[in-house]
Amino acid sequence: EPEVTQTPSHQVTQMGQEVILRCVPISNHLYFYWYRQILGQKVEFLVSFYNNEISEKSEIFDDQFSVERPDGSNFTLKIRSTKLEDSAMYFCASSGTGVPEAFFGQGTRLTVV
Amino acid sequence: QKEVEQNSGPLSVPEGAIASLNCTYSDRGSQSFFWYRQYSGKSPELIMSIYSNGDKEDGRFTAQLNKASQYVSLLIRDSQPSDSATYLCAVSGSARQLTFGSGTQLTVLP
């Protein structure tokens, strides 16, 4: 069964460093998303991406964040100058062009120390 | 500000019973409604989607939608211990991004 895959599963970084979280969406999906979940809190929308550009972004997704589709399969989230409060699970998701059902990857646990 | 509200629980039911999970949403323009299951430390797993008023059944799961009341529910029949998880209600409009509730923690007791 097709699935969204994310790497790495766990990333530890020092405050102020840049991190890149990687995702391979389901192959025939055209909508891609990043969500995050701080421990014990709700899953929060960060950004959606369609047709090689950002289609929606939340207030969380400020200049510290960027997304890119560097090739035909990968979708990345870059976080510049990480802060302690960026520690969270980051989920990539994708959906097809028909029904908007979104399927999530297994997540990357980001720990900023 | 779009809000999705769920009873946080915890909700405990005995094995074999029906578990009933509820969700309300604030945005009347919402078009799509989803239930995700999340095991501790794992990612959300889609279990049901519903788009029109009424009931939708899939195996032991039934989703119910009432747009006039801005209410979505999930019934789990013949609950099993493996159903113990947090159930997330999620809602989207034309812009596809999901707004999640805080989840209801379900425990099915053997």
Side-chain angles (χ1 to χ4, degrees):
Chain A
E1 185 172 321
E3 60 180 16
V4 177
T5 58
Q6 292 185 242
T7 54
S9 56
H10 190 189
Q11 172 107 36
V12 180
T13 189
Q14 292 207 325
M15 193 168 49
Q17 295 298 303
E18 175 182 288
V19 296
I20 297 176
L21 310 183
R22 303 182 190 279
C23 168
V24 178
I26 293 172
S27 62
N28 62 344
H29 283 182
L30 297 180
Y31 293 87
F32 315 125
Y33 315 87
W34 285 100
Y35 292 83
R36 80 173 184 189
Q37 187 175 33
I38 296 170
L39 187 63
Q41 298 187 23
K42 293 183 182 184
V43 177
E44 301 174 290
F45 168 73
L46 294 179
V47 65
S48 60
F49 193 86
Y50 173 72
N51 200 25
N52 285 320
E53 62 182 23
I54 291 173
S55 49
E56 299 286 337
K57 60 182 181 179
S58 71
E59 293 177 351
I60 303 168
F61 193 88
D62 59 19
D63 292 344
Q64 186 193 4
F65 296 89
S66 62
V67 290
E68 190 178 32
R69 186 154 166 82
D71 54 44
S73 59
N74 290 283
F75 180 51
T76 62
L77 174 69
K78 181 188 291 185
I79 309 175
R80 287 179 284 275
S81 189
T82 50
K83 300 175 280 194
L84 294 176
E85 54 265 39
D86 294 327
S87 296
M89 281 288 283
Y90 287 81
F91 297 111
C92 175
S94 69
S95 64
T97 53
V99 292
E101 296 179 343
F103 297 90
F104 283 70
Q106 80 278 21
T108 294
R109 180 173 298 282
L110 177 65
T111 302
V112 183
V113 297
Chain B
Q1 183 79 0
K2 300 175 183 178
E3 297 287 341
V4 177
E5 299 291 338
Q6 296 181 252
N7 291 328
S8 60
L11 173 66
S12 293
V13 300
E15 184 173 355
I18 296 175
S20 177
L21 306 165
N22 304 315
C23 170
T24 58
Y25 59 94
S26 64
D27 183 8
R28 284 198 171 273
S30 300
Q31 299 176 357
S32 306
F33 307 87
F34 306 93
W35 284 99
Y36 285 83
R37 177 173 63 198
Q38 187 176 33
Y39 294 111
S40 182
K42 302 296 185 182
S43 61
E45 175 192 5
L46 180 66
I47 54 172
M48 287 290 287
S49 59
I50 188 166
Y51 306 102
S52 56
N53 282 330
D55 295 0
K56 179 181 177 182
E57 186 174 319
D58 184 359
R60 297 187 295 112
F61 299 98
T62 299
Q64 300 173 316
L65 174 62
N66 183 326
K67 290 186 178 180
S69 300
Q70 295 175 245
Y71 176 85
V72 195
S73 67
L74 179 70
L75 299 178
I76 306 174
R77 289 181 300 281
D78 188 24
S79 296
Q80 301 298 309
S82 58
D83 294 327
S84 297
T86 298
Y87 288 80
L88 308 177
C89 175
V91 171
S92 72
S94 58
R96 288 185 172 241
Q97 70 262 26
L98 298 169
T99 301
F100 282 87
S102 55
T104 298
Q105 185 179 343
L106 172 67
T107 300
V108 181
L109 303 170

